[in-house]
């Protein structure tokens, strides 16, 4: 079978990384993106620069200007290409933005995912389908885990979570945000197309995914945006939880490596919590300290004594299932290296 990869959201953070990674592995790459991120977040979220980067640097890259909400267009493209693997990263990715644009959010995250799945079932049901889901499918249920307050971060008090949150955690009966709910719909559909039609699908429930090519904005991409604020001497707004809220951060490169491992050795209807795990977790206060150390610039910030609706207080992924299923995969970019790469990425872009 020819190595032909279809990537939706190819101009975004994860999509572009996947395009580069698989191109290096000898795949013919077909990217689908309509720069919807600029519609969602305004000019700061524009990803055309990344599309141009792929078009100029990858010889075997083909861009398709398609909206995944366009059902017929999606069915036609898959019928024409019959890719040997599909990576679905196109999404409305912001927790906070969704309430203002509920139709766009659901049509993209839930219906767009269904369009992709049905197109795959009709055109190439043997091809592995990796879907980017999110830890927001767990809603705010992780906030019910007892915590201890440390000097700069929250930590789980219950030893059952010493390795983080596993895939068995409940996704039900908690507050998700409209984004979390539309992603649950997509996530369950991806599992169902696996179980019901025996398509090799997986849902990757991401923690904080980031890297040097992230177009971080206030409403999405916390680490990328925080580092940008530091570099530009801009004030960063901290919302609630004393700035001690914890996130686990994973490099887009390690996400692409995992997707590659899955596609090489696919399973059916799997779910993985794909984050940086405990060693790559930090609070916002920890992140300020880390970036200050790198740039030598004090982080300016203000504190808003109200948390974002449904925001996790402490979340990091239990990576043990991923490691058990794919023992050759592990985190390769640790937290200090990730920070350094993001600083470098913003500096390079500001010079252009
Ligand atoms: N970045 C994170 O921290 C994070 C965390 C958890 C989960 N995720 C998930 O990972 C996936 C990728 O996230 P990302 O950070 O790369 O997002 P991103 O916004 O950088 O990339 C998404 C891309 O999809 C495109 N897109 C959006 N709607 C589209 C549509 N209707 N048709 C065609 N293209 C469309 C956008 O223009 C953008 O280039 C998403 O599903 C997101 O929910 C991301």
């Amino acid at each position: 079978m020819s190595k032909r990869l279809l990537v939706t959201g190819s101009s975004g953070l994860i999509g572009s990384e996947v395009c580069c990674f698989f191109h290096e592995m000898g795949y013919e790459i077909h990217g689908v993106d309509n720069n919807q991120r600029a519609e969602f977040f305004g000019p700061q979220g524009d990803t055309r620069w990344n599309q141009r980067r792929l078009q100029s640097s990858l010889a075997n890259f083909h861009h398709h200007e398609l909206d995944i909400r366009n059902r017929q267009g999606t069915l036609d493209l898959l019928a024409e290409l019959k890719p040997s693997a599909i990576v679905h990263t196109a999404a409305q990715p912001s927790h906070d933005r969704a309430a203002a644009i509920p139709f766009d959010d659901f049509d993209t995250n839930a219906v767009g995912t269904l369009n992709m799945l049905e197109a795959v079932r009709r055109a190439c049901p043997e091809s592995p389908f990796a879907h980017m889901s999110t830890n927001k499918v767990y809603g705010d249920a992780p906030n019910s885990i007892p915590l201890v307050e440390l000097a700069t971060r929250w930590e789980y008090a219950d030893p059952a979570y010493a390795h983080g949150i596993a895939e068995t955690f409940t996704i039900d009966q908690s507050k998700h945000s409209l984004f979390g709910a539309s992603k649950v719909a997509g996530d369950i559909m991806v599992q169902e197309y696996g179980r019901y039609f025996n398509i090799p699908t997986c849902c990757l429930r991401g923690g904080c995914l980031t890297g040097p090519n992230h177009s971080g904005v206030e409403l999405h991409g916390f680490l990328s945006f925080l580092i940008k604020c530091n570099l530009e001497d801009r004030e960063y707004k901290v919302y609630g939880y004393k700035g001690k809220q914890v996130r686990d951060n994973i490099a887009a490169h390690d996400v692409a490596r995992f997707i590659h491992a899955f596609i090489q050795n696919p399973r059916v209807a799997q779910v993985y919590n794909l984050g940086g795990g405990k060693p790559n977790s930090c609070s916002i206060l920890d992140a300020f300290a880390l970036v200050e150390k790198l740039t030598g610039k004090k982080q300016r910030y203000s504190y808003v004594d109200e948390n974002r609706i449904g925001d996790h207080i402490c979340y990091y992924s239990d990576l043990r299932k991923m490691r058990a299923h794919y023992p050759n995969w592990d985190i390769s970019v640790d937290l200090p290296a990730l920070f350094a790469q993001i600083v470098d990425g913003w500096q390079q872009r500001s010079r252009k």
Side-chain angles (χ1 to χ4, degrees), residues 8-15 32-38 40-41 47 66-69 88-93 108-109 131-135 179 183 204-210 214-215 220-221:
T8 70
S10 46
S11 313
L13 169 75
I14 300 302
V32 169
D33 205 300
N34 65 343
N35 197 28
Q36 190 67 25
R37 190 173 167 93
F40 293 146
F41 302 119
T47 54
L66 174 70
D67 189 323
I68 58 160
R69 291 171 294 182
H88 177 40
T89 81
Q92 189 301 104
T108 303
N109 293 351
H131 168 67
M132 287 311 305
S133 185
T134 169
N135 63 16
F179 161 75
K183 293 293 278 188
L204 305 174
R205 294 180 175 164
C208 284
L209 323 174
T210 190
H214 208 176
S215 303
H220 184 240

Side-chain angles (χ1 to χ4, degrees), residues 262-280:
F262 177 83
I263 285 174
Q264 276 195 310
N265 214 342
R267 295 162 180 256
V268 170
Q270 289 298 325
V271 172
Y272 300 103
N273 285 350
L274 175 64
K278 187 169 182 178
N280 268 20

